[in-house]
Amino acid sequence: FKGLCMSGLWGCFDEFNRIELEVLSVVAMQVESICSAKRMALKTFWFPGEVAPIKLVPAVGYFITMNPGYAGRQELPENLKVLFRSVAMMVPNRETIMKVKLASVGYSQMDLLGKKFCILYALCEQQLSKQRHYDFGLRNILSVLRTSGTVKRAEPPDADEEMIFMRTVRDMNLSKLVADDVPLFLALLKDLFPKVTDPPKKVYK
């Protein structure tokens, strides 16, 4: 925050609520001092912990993103929460993201594969057991799509896209599943990709 104040830059702190509660209390003091200095239109101000006043460029801006409800996330202290203005977010359309990303990495059947991928992960969230390490959200989705693109580019141009994609999704998820969920996951894959025979596991670099 000190560097942002002195340079007048904007900063975005991602997954802010992963910071430990003790550190968040210190951050609250720093942000409050910046807000007070900006309200008073000061050119310099005392930043917490500094022995001399520092410069304040009024263009400074600071933003935070959070993923509430995830394991290991903290609730923001009230004295810090009131210093930020919340912005409403909407749930992204996963199927659209999947189709666009598939097209960008070279898949010609992006509409079909995007729809199947979206259905598969929705069913996984509904039907597989609830485990703390399971993640069928955007982070996992983008990881699978990036890998599927790398694999696609390494295969011959006429290779079966359904087989390539199904194998990538299977290989990247099987190792994370508990034993009881494996048969159900494989059955869901078989239902969604009935024409694809069980391809051998690929070694991913």
Side-chain angles (χ1 to χ4, degrees), residues 1-5 9-19 24 27 30-31 34 60-67 84:
F1 287 100
K2 177 183 171 184
L4 294 177
C5 290
L9 296 174
W10 289 10
C12 183
F13 300 88
D14 194 24
E15 299 202 23
F16 198 71
N17 55 336
R18 293 183 72 170
I19 300 173
L24 285 175
V27 170
Q30 295 177 345
V31 174
I34 299 167
V60 62
Y62 32 86
F63 309 88
I64 62 175
T65 69
M66 300 190 301
N67 284 318
F84 289 93

Side-chain angles (χ1 to χ4, degrees), residues 12 20 37 61 89 98 102 112 170-172 181-182 193:
C12 183
E20 294 179 0
M89 307 291 284
M98 291 168 177
L102 283 167
L112 174 67
R170 181 199 65 190
D171 293 349
M172 290 191 68
D181 285 334
V182 170
F193 299 92

Side-chain angles (χ1 to χ4, degrees), residues 16-39:
F16 198 71
N17 55 336
R18 293 183 72 170
I19 300 173
E20 294 179 0
L21 202 55
E22 296 80 6
V23 180
L24 285 175
S25 298
V26 176
V27 170
M29 290 172 52
Q30 295 177 345
V31 174
E32 189 171 11
S33 69
I34 299 167
C35 289
S36 299
K38 287 187 75 172
R39 275 195 297 269

